[in-house]
Each structure stands twice: as structure tokens, then as C-alpha cells.
Amino acid sequence: MIGFKCDRIVLEDRLFSGYVYAQDQRIIAVTEEALPCHKSYDFTGKILAPGFVDLHTHGAGGCSFSGSSPEA
């Protein structure tokens, strides 16, 4: 298990100080309790928040998707 200590963890309904634990590339716990883990990171002074991927695009590979006709 990997632990991340942070004094600013952003959740949907609150901001708090605590720990995020992950195992097998998945978050398994978000808690104020320190748990034993084989690897840990201290992010004191940093903000730990969910990551978001914006899939919005207007084109790629030299093509524009913003035209109103199939030719565009």
C-alpha cells in the first residue's frame, strides 16, 4: 500500500488534512488516520485533489471538427 499525507485534501463536500492510500493503482482509503504502508509521500503544504481529464476537442491530426457541414 502507498500512502499520501497532505494537509489539504479536496473531497466533494469538504477540505481536510489527512491521508490517501492506494493499492494496485486504486484509491482504497481517504482518512484522517495514519495507516501502516510500505511507501509514503509527504505532500504537506500542497493540495491533493481529484484529477480531471477534459475530452473536449475541436479537431486533431490536421482536421477541424467545428465546421457545420460534412465537407468542413
Side-chain angles (χ1 to χ4, degrees):
M1 180 166 62
I2 299 172
F4 303 89
K5 176 185 176 189
C6 191
D7 56 356
R8 294 183 196 118
I9 298 172
V10 178
L11 295 181
E12 182 178 317
D13 59 344
R14 65 187 173 124
L15 178 70
F16 78 105
S17 178
Y19 304 85
V20 175
Y21 295 97
Q23 187 169 326
D24 298 325
Q25 300 181 359
R26 294 190 184 273
I27 294 173
I28 59 170
V30 179
T31 179
E32 295 176 3
E33 181 183 349
L35 302 174
C37 54
H38 74 275
K39 192 172 195 178
S40 63
Y41 298 93
D42 187 347
F43 292 136
T44 300
K46 308 286 186 202
I47 297 173
L48 188 59
F52 297 99
V53 177
D54 185 1
L55 298 177
H56 179 96
T57 182
H58 287 277
C63 297
S64 174
F65 304 142
S66 59
S68 59
S69 67
E71 294 79 24

